[in-house]
């Protein structure tokens, strides 16, 4: 460990204010004369880690007190090698600022309120280095105790700009994180006042010297776990790869299908036959497998994609024969995830030697309707604009099938399994620039190349939706046995999303739901200026700029549907998702009354409008068009109670009429994103929901079955500036 005064010297050189102080050895306290009282005495030595706990720090001393207090400390058993005597900084708000090395993402900045806030409330914020100034402000603002920074009940706030500058000095571009051999670094506390900051304690443990858990255990296990390291004997590849043929190969080969006992290879062979892509089997003896012509070795297959489904021990040998083939997918498991990293390294070495890119191992492969690539049964779905990168093949299969059922159309889906060679970050980079792709979903259990992932996400011009498995301790154990990955602190993923603008979701359902929103509304401009209707009544937003995280207007969403508890719950759901329901403009109230609204209830947002088998199907459309003319809500969320149509009516037609009217509203409002929630859809006869979905999908309206799912999607849409 580096002594406190040395760590403070590092800070001073970096421009961070630290107290004036002197180091005293051999009990010669003469230099103390130059310091201004009150003084602080701190003992240092290899055995003293937490000075307060060791009785090795005393505040509020006069110059004369210092030698006496030092003698007392020694007498009480403090194992001091020497003393640091420094000026006592005036009181203020104590903050903790630290750096740790996350196993997946590398250097991470931590900021929090010191003392009880950090210790008992774990009130800290994380940011992947380098952070931007906006990130620094967002981190501070996200602290539950942040009001003490900004001023509270007559108490003045602190110099927040100075705190931001400190965070940038530590974690910003060119900051300390780049220069330190980082095991762990911590300023605890830095005292912030109205006139600046002073770092009054600093600890620095270079890599390899890390203690256990950090002083406050804020991030769990730090250090020691470097990011995934490349095996030393594997030469680096030449970048970047064009993944076009991965998704749209001219022809594919399947290695491992059997002529006698059908296995996974045979299953894939059947999927490929059904997809109609030119196909060859690789088999040591047979001339054909399952009606597909066979060759004895990959070396003789004229394809640009090979799927390998042979036992793990034989995969490397097969890959060596793939020389000249751009891509090899190893479906087989039994590598790193099964505790056999050496087998995985051998496989990667074989791929590098053959000059081929390796997908997997332990992965299902690629799905791309346009390229007749598939790993799922039931035929190819429609070609579309949504891409998916998944560390789990099973989950990818579910997202494809369920997503297509719900109207998603995929551009490209790729599963990476253990991602031993081709990584999610690399694929994300390529997909971001792919002209067929407008939104990307990611399912990960492990950042793999976390730094590259951070950079790829930050650079992605398309919206990205991130679902991370293993963010809980229980989930981490499950993920470790699934892909063998080291999972990072769950909160780092939120920091990653906040810093890059990606949407972090917590369920497969929301992954599909948010992607559906981007598919439907991605191309829609919600710019009020492009509204066909008249000018907005609203004047300029007085508090735009830095403080606003989302860039979303305060109008947020207009929620409109039948009255009752559902409206109240809708308001709650949107609140939880962080979407404001801005009030109705006064100027439209008269017009709404003219439509017969507001007789039995008040006119507010959520707006209660009769929607059912006996109400005018057009009412919602007319109300929405009137309101948006006065206030350009970027989102309109219409909800129906499907059950009411079949309790107070018998036919589906009124529901279809409502859907057609809503579609007409969307057509009339190109700058507004209309979303439909079909509550209680299970009460409709079979097929009715699909029909409703089809009617509104034609107008580009996404459909959700719950308000919660719609709220998550609308929030994501707002964050991604499709507004
Ligand atoms: P520890 O090793 O226990 O963390 P610190 O050096 O942080 O020891 O000192 C304990 C507390 O004393 C700090 O949290 C801070 O409140 C206060 N303190 C320490 N040094 C100073 C100083 N120079 N000026 C003002 N307060 C200080
Ligand atoms: Mg301290």
């Amino acid at each position: 460990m580096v002594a406190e005064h040395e760590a403070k010297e590092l800070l001073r050189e970096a421009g961070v204010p630290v107290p004036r102080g002197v180091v005293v050895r051999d009990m010669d306290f003469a230099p103390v004369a130059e310091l201004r009282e009150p003084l602080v005495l701190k003992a240092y030595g290899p055995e003293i880690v937490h000075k307060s706990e060791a009785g090795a720090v005393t505040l509020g001393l006069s110059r004369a007190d210092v030698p006496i207090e030092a003698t007392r400390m020694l007498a009480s058993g403090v194992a001091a090698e020497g003393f640091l005597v420094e000026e006592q900084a005036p009181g203020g708000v104590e903050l903790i600022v630290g750096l740790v090395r996350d196993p997946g993402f590398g250097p991470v900045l931590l900021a929090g309120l010191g003392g009880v806030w950090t210790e008992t409330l774990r009130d800290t914020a994380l940011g992947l280095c380098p952070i931007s100034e906006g990130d620094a402000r967002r981190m501070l603002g996200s602290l539950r105790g942040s009001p003490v920074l900004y001023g509270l009940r007559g108490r003045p706030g602190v110099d927040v700009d100075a705190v931001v500058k400190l965070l940038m000095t530590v974690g910003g571009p060119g900051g300390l994180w780049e220069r330190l051999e980082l095991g762990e670094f911590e300023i605890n506390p830095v005292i912030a006042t109205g006139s600046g900051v002073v770092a009054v304690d600093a600890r620095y443990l270079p890599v390899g010297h890390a203690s256990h858990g950090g002083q406050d255990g804020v991030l769990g296990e730090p250090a020691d776990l470097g990011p995934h390291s490349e095996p030393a004997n594997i030469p680096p590849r030449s970048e970047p790869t064009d993944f076009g043929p991965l998704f749209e190969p001219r022809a594919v080969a399947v290695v491992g299908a059997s002529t006698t006992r059908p296995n996974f290879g045979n299953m894939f062979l059947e999927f490929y036959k059904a997809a109609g892509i030119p196909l060859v089997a690789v088999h040591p003896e047979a001339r054909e497998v399952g009606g597909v012509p066979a060759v004895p070795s990959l070396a003789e297959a004229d394809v640009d994609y090979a799927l390998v489904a042979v036992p793990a021990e034989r995969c490397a040998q097969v890959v060596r024969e793939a020389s000249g083939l751009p891509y090899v997918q190893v479906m087989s498991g039994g590598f790193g995830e099964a505790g056999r990293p050496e087998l995985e390294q051998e496989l990667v070495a074989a791929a590098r030697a053959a000059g081929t890119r390796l997908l997997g191992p332990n992965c299902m492969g690629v799905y791309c309707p346009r390229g007749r690539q598939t790993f799922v049964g039931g035929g190819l779905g429609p070609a579309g604009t949504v891409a998916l990168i998944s560390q789990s093949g099973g989950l990818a299969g579910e997202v494809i099938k369920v997503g297509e059922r719900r109207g998603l159309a995929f551009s490209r889906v790729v599963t990476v399994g253990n991602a031993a060679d081709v990584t999610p970050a690399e694929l994300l980079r390529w997909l971001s620039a792919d002209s067929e792709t407008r939104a990307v979903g990611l399912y990960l259990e492990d950042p793999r190349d976390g730094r590259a992932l951070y950079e790829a996400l930050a650079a992605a011009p398309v919206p990205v939706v991130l679902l991370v498995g293993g963010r809980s301790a229980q989930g981490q154990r499950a993920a470790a046995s699934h892909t063998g990955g080291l999972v990072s602190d769950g909160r780092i993923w939120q920091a990653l999303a906040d810093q890059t603008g990606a949407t972090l979701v917590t369920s497969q359902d929301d992954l599909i739901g948010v992607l559906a929103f981007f598919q439907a509304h991605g191309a829609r401009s919600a710019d009020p200026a492009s509204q066909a209707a008249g000018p907005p009544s609203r004047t300029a937003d007085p508090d735009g700029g830095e403080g606003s995280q989302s860039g979303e207007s305060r109008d947020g969403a207009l929620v409109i549907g039948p009255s009752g508890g559902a409206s109240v719950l809708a308001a709650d759901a949107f609140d939880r998702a962080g979407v404001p329901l801005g009030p109705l403009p006064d100027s439209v109230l008269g017009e709404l009354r003219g439509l017969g609204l507001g007789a039995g209830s008040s006119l507010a947002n959520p707006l209660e409008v009769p929607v059912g088998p006996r109400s005018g199907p057009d009412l919602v459309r007319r109300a929405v068009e009137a309101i948006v003319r006065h206030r350009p809500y970027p989102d309109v969320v219409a909800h129906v109670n499907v059950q009411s149509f079949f309790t107070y009516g018998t036919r589906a037609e009124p529901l279809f009429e409502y859907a057609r009217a809503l579609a007409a509203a969307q057509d009339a409002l190109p700058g507004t994103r209309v979303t439909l929630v079909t509550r209680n859809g299970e009460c409709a006869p079979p097929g009715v929901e699909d029909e409703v979905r089809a009617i509104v999908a034609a107008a580009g309206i996404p459909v959700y079955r719950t308000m919660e799912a719609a709220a998550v999607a609308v929030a994501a849409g707002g964050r991604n500036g499709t507004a």
Side-chain angles (χ1 to χ4, degrees), residues 675-703:
T675 294
L676 174 61
V677 182
T678 51
R679 295 188 292 108
N680 309 321
E682 51 273 71
C683 294
V688 168
E689 280 188 284
D690 286 331
E691 180 67 26
V692 169
R693 194 180 289 282
I695 292 169
V696 298
I701 297 175
V703 181

Side-chain angles (χ1 to χ4, degrees), residues 106-204:
V108 172
L109 177 73
L110 174 148
L113 292 167
V116 66
W117 290 96
T118 302
E119 277 148 34
T120 66
L121 300 175
R122 293 173 62 91
D123 190 15
T124 51
L126 304 181
L128 277 68
C129 300
I131 59 158
S132 69
E133 204 179 304
D135 295 331
R137 289 186 195 280
R138 190 179 35 70
M139 285 170 70
L140 293 175
S142 74
L143 298 172
R144 274 172 288 166
S146 66
V148 308
L149 296 177
Y150 304 116
L152 174 73
R153 300 221 181 93
R155 262 180 61 177
V158 308
D159 183 350
V160 173
D161 289 345
V163 180
V164 168
K165 188 172 164 220
L166 169 67
L167 296 186
M168 295 303 287
T169 303
V170 177
L176 281 174
W177 69 277
E178 275 188 16
R179 307 210 294 276
L180 301 181
E181 263 301 315
L182 202 60
E184 202 182 309
F185 177 81
E186 192 177 81
I187 307 173
N188 185 14
V190 51
I191 299 179
T193 63
S195 55
V197 295
V198 187
V200 301
D201 186 20
R203 259 157 51 87
Y204 171 36

Side-chain angles (χ1 to χ4, degrees), residues 278-444:
L279 188 61
V280 60
V282 175
H283 193 282
E285 295 111 30
R287 305 290 295 277
E288 66 148 278
V289 181
V292 174
V295 294
S297 155
L298 258 190
E300 284 158 61
D302 181 22
V303 299
D304 29 42
Y305 187 94
L307 184 158
V308 178
V310 302
E313 301 73 28
R314 283 174 41 213
C315 286
Q317 181 50 40
V318 172
V319 169
R320 272 182 215 109
E321 290 165 12
S323 183
L325 243 83
Y327 305 100
V328 176
Q329 173 213 342
V330 172
M331 200 231 119
S332 325
F335 295 88
E337 88 286 359
R340 296 199 282 179
E342 61 306 327
L343 219 50
E344 194 160 309
Q345 291 195 12
E346 189 196 350
L347 189 65
V348 176
R352 299 277 158 87
T356 188
R357 295 305 309 271
L358 171 73
L359 197 63
N362 187 26
C363 87
M364 292 296 274
V366 176
Y367 175 78
C368 174
R370 213 173 257 110
R372 293 176 292 177
Q373 264 281 43
T374 188
F375 62 87
V376 290
L380 296 168
T385 58
V386 174
L388 177 72
I389 304 167
S390 175
Q391 216 166 344
S392 159
L395 181 128
E398 292 178 38
V399 172
I400 291 168
K401 286 300 176 187
V402 178
E404 286 180 347
R405 184 75 181 72
R406 286 172 55 178
L408 278 189
F410 291 94
S411 58
R412 293 118 184 355
V413 176
V414 53
T415 69
V416 296
N418 297 4
D421 177 32
V422 174
T423 62
E426 200 182 358
L427 289 162
L428 177 59
R429 251 181 218 294
W430 188 85
L431 287 168
S432 299
D434 171 33
S435 59
E436 309 289 355
T437 297
R438 305 270 160 68
V440 182
L442 268 171
Y443 173 75
L444 298 174

Side-chain angles (χ1 to χ4, degrees), residues 18-116:
V18 295
R20 286 211 311 146
V22 295
V23 175
V24 167
R25 293 187 187 83
D26 308 322
M27 299 301 273
D28 172 11
F29 288 95
V32 169
E34 56 188 71
L35 299 180
R36 191 170 37 83
E37 295 176 341
L39 299 174
V40 180
L41 176 72
K42 299 180 177 186
Y44 68 83
E47 282 161 44
I48 305 172
V49 182
H50 303 308
K51 296 181 292 289
S52 312
E53 281 169 30
V57 53
T58 308
L59 277 69
L61 299 173
S62 69
R63 277 182 285 267
D65 291 339
V66 169
I68 304 167
E69 179 61 13
T71 309
R72 197 199 57 75
M73 270 188 198
L74 291 173
S76 73
V78 174
E81 217 167 61
F83 293 93
L84 170 64
V85 187
E86 61 184 17
E87 294 179 352
Q88 182 169 328
V93 176
E94 297 201 349
L95 292 149
I96 166 172
V97 174
L99 285 170
V100 284
R101 182 174 286 280
D102 174 79
F105 289 105
V108 172
L109 177 73
L110 174 148
L113 292 167
V116 66

